[in-house]
Amino acid sequence: MAEEKRNRIDYLVSFLNKCCDEYYNKNAPSISDAEYDALFDELSALEKETGYSPENSPTSHVGYAVAGELKKIAHDIPLLSLAKTKKAEDIVDMARVSPGYLSLKMDGLTVKLTYENGVLSRATTRGDGAVGELVTHTARTFFGLPRRIPFPGKLCISGEAFIDIPTFERINREIDNDEERYSTPRNLASGSVRQLDSAVTASRHVRFMPFNVLSGFEDIPLRSLRLEKLAQFGFDRIPSLPADANDDVDSIRKKLFSLKETAAENGLPIDGVVFSYDDAAFAASLGRTSHHFRDGIAFKFGDPSCETVFEGIEWNISRSGQLTPIALLKPCRIDNTTVERASLHNLTFVSGLKLVPGDRVRVSKRNMIIPHVEENMSASGRDEYTLEYPDKCPVCGSGTVVRSRESGGKTVQVLYCSNLRCPGRRIKEFTHFVSKPAMNIEGLSEQTILRFMSAGLLRELSDIFSLPQHKSDIMGMDGFGEKSFENLAKSLSAAKSCRLSNFLVALNIPLIGSSAARDIETAFHGDVSAFLNAATGEYDFSALENFGEITNRQIHAWFSDAENMRTVRLLLPC
């Protein structure tokens, strides 16, 4: 039995470290937070029971070793985690020892800030708790973070950089390919903070809220008052409520769920609630373990879920021609919202679940945001399974084709429509072309584009710039008045003088997103002609920073296609 437990510990250490790597470095977690916490708790219990704890156990370190191209910085004060609980009783017991406060545990990336003589001099990520990455250049773009504060000397602050839910949903709407969308605001925030190009960070509206003062403010005895002082300096304040010996279990639970409702009302992504002792001297006297400080505890709600019935699959087409499976569910309630649909990502994901209409499934809202099919409770014993997928595109009726692609370090099977001129695909192409990261043309929603296409006003992308010539036709449509037409015409006129980077994003060239497009714009000084000469010639794009041979081949392949060049030639006079 002892040997079995040691083997189980070794397995959990290996598996959880892999999950940490996926979570902290690759921003592509393969399990939910609730699943990770359950396995972490099992590991902790086994280590305590057996006295056996490998040196690389996640119970003795935070996160995972930092990776990437950013400069690594050793923390003079370790940035550790907190012990976790799912019991309100644990908070009651702690509050009876010494008063404290409950605050939202923001779900983003922990960042340490250093101010010297009132100026932000350094910002670093938590990394593995001992070593982080230098991100001062991106931190200066955070909302809710003042670059200068009226404080002499040195002040060190830890807090959370995050992206609120409305911004997260807007950014995901602008990404057509389901496989490329971000799974959680935390993943998006992590990637945004660790960008080499701070312009990318600024465009994603990263916010910052401090949760602790690591050094400085020694004359202020209460930690809550230290945070209030930061708010006076211009920092955003994390919503919080007091907790003391007068609170019983019911009172604490009400406060926990009140804070959860506050987060939902304000679109804040959270990972629970933190209880912190308020007396700074008392909190410091409690010390720490190798994994966490003892000055507080994190209460975890867990991912809300429900059980429902899987009724079938709907296939949505993207501008790349990918057909994404969407689970149709018997309506169920999760966290005060009705869930009827959930993305199934790709053929491999569906096959893994062995889904058949009528199956009982468990659906969660990961990080309380995205509906996700977690488990098929009817698949037990179903050894034989063949996924049935459409052999014809549900939009145009053309044949479909299965292709392999890499996603999160795994090879997955994805379904595509073979028709490059599929109407469904074309609508998505038009919608992407006019989106904010591309040509930024206001007044052309997907529904409006569909109406214009049905009326024969839009056939080619270049027809978008001819819309002002159809004023009488457009003004005759429901919902279009003089003012809305004028606004559309004005937006079209402004788009004609867009930057090279926006034009490249609008063309939907594989592997050329906003960041790569800006790199190209810089390399060619915004000159469209110079870039086209390079793309249709023998220029080696892999010579550019962050570009590889695959990207180089993709650019040349795209611009060697006659149909693509025809599109470019039609657009350039616009």
Side-chain angles (χ1 to χ4, degrees), residues 178 310-317 322-329 340-347 350 355 357 388-390 394-395 415 428:
D178 180 76
F310 168 71
E311 297 183 333
I313 294 178
E314 176 181 281
W315 299 86
N316 285 0
I317 193 167
Q322 177 183 332
L323 289 162
T324 301
I326 305 295
L328 303 179
L329 309 167
E340 300 178 83
R341 296 155 60 87
S343 175
L344 293 171
H345 309 296
N346 51 61
L347 300 181
V350 182
L355 285 170
E388 295 183 3
Y389 53 84
V395 178
L415 189 65
K428 298 293 186 180

Side-chain angles (χ1 to χ4, degrees), residues 7 9 12 119 134 173 257 284 317 338 385 483 497 502 531:
N7 290 340
I9 288 172
L12 288 173
V119 178
L134 189 65
R173 282 196 300 270
F257 284 93
I317 193 167
T338 299
Y385 178 79
K483 185 65 175 177
S497 56
N502 294 90
F531 166 73

Side-chain angles (χ1 to χ4, degrees), residues 355-565:
L355 285 170
V356 173
D359 281 351
R360 193 85 185 161
V361 295
R362 183 171 65 87
V363 181
S364 75
K365 290 182 73 175
R366 289 193 174 181
N367 297 81
M368 295 176 283
I369 300 168
I370 301 171
H372 186 87
V373 179
E374 298 283 358
E375 178 185 6
N376 182 359
M377 295 176 290
S378 302
S380 179
R382 188 176 290 161
D383 297 328
E384 297 295 327
Y385 178 79
T386 301
L387 172 63
E388 295 183 3
Y389 53 84
D391 58 1
K392 295 185 183 299
C393 173
V395 178
C396 70
S398 300
T400 59
V401 60
V402 177
R403 299 173 185 164
S404 297
R405 59 177 291 176
E406 292 296 314
S407 177
K410 303 174 184 177
T411 300
V412 298
Q413 301 294 309
V414 182
L415 189 65
Y416 283 86
C417 170
S418 61
N419 180 12
L420 297 179
R421 308 295 290 179
C422 175
R425 183 171 180 171
R426 292 291 288 165
I427 291 170
K428 298 293 186 180
E429 287 177 353
F430 275 92
T431 304
H432 169 73
F433 185 84
V434 304
S435 66
K436 190 171 183 178
M439 301 300 284
N440 192 22
I441 300 172
E442 298 179 359
L444 286 178
S445 65
E446 185 170 314
Q447 189 60 38
T448 300
I449 289 171
L450 180 59
R451 291 170 67 191
F452 286 176
M453 291 179 74
S454 299
L457 304 182
L458 293 178
R459 294 185 179 86
E460 307 280 354
L461 288 175
S462 57
D463 291 338
I464 289 175
F465 294 98
S466 300
L467 287 174
Q469 301 173 19
H470 303 284
K471 180 176 181 178
S472 59
D473 294 321
I474 294 174
M475 294 284 289
M477 295 181 178
D478 289 339
F480 265 92
E482 186 73 32
K483 185 65 175 177
S484 57
F485 179 83
E486 288 178 359
N487 288 339
L488 174 59
K490 182 178 179 181
S491 186
L492 287 168
S493 178
K496 291 180 180 181
S497 56
C498 75
R499 296 169 54 172
L500 171 60
S501 56
N502 294 90
F503 183 62
L504 292 177
V505 171
L507 290 178
N508 192 30
I509 305 165
L511 302 183
I512 304 300
S514 297
S515 180
R518 278 192 291 270
D519 289 340
I520 291 173
E521 180 178 75
T522 300
F524 291 92
H525 307 288
D527 189 328
V528 176
S529 296
F531 166 73
L532 288 177
N533 288 335
T536 56
E538 298 181 357
Y539 182 84
D540 183 6
F541 287 91
S542 66
L544 301 181
E545 187 176 3
N546 301 321
F547 281 58
E549 181 53 38
I550 294 177
T551 303
N552 178 57
R553 289 200 302 267
Q554 287 280 12
I555 293 173
H556 284 294
W558 196 92
F559 283 94
S560 66
D561 183 273
E563 185 62 29
N564 290 339
M565 283 305 298

Side-chain angles (χ1 to χ4, degrees), residues 162-176:
F162 67 95
I163 290 176
D164 62 41
I165 295 171
T167 302
F168 165 76
E169 292 175 339
R170 174 185 61 78
I171 291 173
N172 260 353
R173 282 196 300 270
E174 294 170 354
I175 300 173
D176 184 62

Side-chain angles (χ1 to χ4, degrees), residues 166-436:
T167 302
F168 165 76
E169 292 175 339
R170 174 185 61 78
I171 291 173
N172 260 353
R173 282 196 300 270
E174 294 170 354
I175 300 173
D176 184 62
N177 193 328
D178 180 76
E179 292 293 320
E180 296 175 0
R181 291 192 181 103
Y182 296 93
S183 58
T184 66
R186 189 266 164 201
N187 290 349
L188 177 57
S190 177
S192 300
V193 171
R194 299 167 69 208
Q195 286 286 326
L196 296 178
D197 183 355
S198 62
V200 177
T201 311
S203 71
R204 294 178 181 174
H205 203 109
V206 177
R207 296 173 60 183
F208 180 83
M209 287 185 179
F211 53 68
N212 195 20
V213 176
L214 300 172
S215 66
F217 289 168
E218 282 78 9
D219 58 328
I220 302 177
L222 298 182
R223 298 165 81 190
S224 60
L225 292 181
R226 293 179 178 183
L227 294 177
E228 185 59 39
K229 189 70 173 179
L230 292 179
Q232 295 172 15
F233 286 169
F235 287 92
D236 281 348
R237 182 70 189 270
I238 294 180
S240 60
L241 293 171
D244 54 36
N246 295 319
D247 286 302
D248 57 18
V249 173
D250 286 341
S251 173
I252 290 296
R253 283 176 178 157
K254 288 179 181 178
K255 290 181 178 182
L256 289 170
F257 284 93
S258 174
L259 286 169
K260 183 180 179 182
E261 289 176 359
T262 296
E265 291 168 359
N266 292 278
L268 300 176
I270 63 170
D271 189 28
V273 172
V274 172
F275 169 81
S276 303
Y277 286 118
D278 203 6
D279 187 303
F282 175 75
S285 72
L286 298 175
R288 62 184 176 89
T289 70
S290 60
H291 177 266
H292 61 265
F293 286 105
R294 296 190 176 98
D295 59 354
I297 195 167
F299 177 87
K300 307 279 282 189
F301 291 106
D303 294 328
S305 64
C306 72
E307 292 182 12
T308 188
V309 176
F310 168 71
E311 297 183 333
I313 294 178
E314 176 181 281
W315 299 86
N316 285 0
I317 193 167
S318 72
R319 68 178 185 271
S320 66
Q322 177 183 332
L323 289 162
T324 301
I326 305 295
L328 303 179
L329 309 167
K330 183 178 180 180
C332 64
R333 298 285 292 178
I334 303 180
D335 206 27
N336 296 319
T337 60
T338 299
V339 174
E340 300 178 83
R341 296 155 60 87
S343 175
L344 293 171
H345 309 296
N346 51 61
L347 300 181
T348 302
F349 187 83
V350 182
S351 296
L353 289 172
K354 299 181 179 179
L355 285 170
V356 173
D359 281 351
R360 193 85 185 161
V361 295
R362 183 171 65 87
V363 181
S364 75
K365 290 182 73 175
R366 289 193 174 181
N367 297 81
M368 295 176 283
I369 300 168
I370 301 171
H372 186 87
V373 179
E374 298 283 358
E375 178 185 6
N376 182 359
M377 295 176 290
S378 302
S380 179
R382 188 176 290 161
D383 297 328
E384 297 295 327
Y385 178 79
T386 301
L387 172 63
E388 295 183 3
Y389 53 84
D391 58 1
K392 295 185 183 299
C393 173
V395 178
C396 70
S398 300
T400 59
V401 60
V402 177
R403 299 173 185 164
S404 297
R405 59 177 291 176
E406 292 296 314
S407 177
K410 303 174 184 177
T411 300
V412 298
Q413 301 294 309
V414 182
L415 189 65
Y416 283 86
C417 170
S418 61
N419 180 12
L420 297 179
R421 308 295 290 179
C422 175
R425 183 171 180 171
R426 292 291 288 165
I427 291 170
K428 298 293 186 180
E429 287 177 353
F430 275 92
T431 304
H432 169 73
F433 185 84
V434 304
S435 66
K436 190 171 183 178

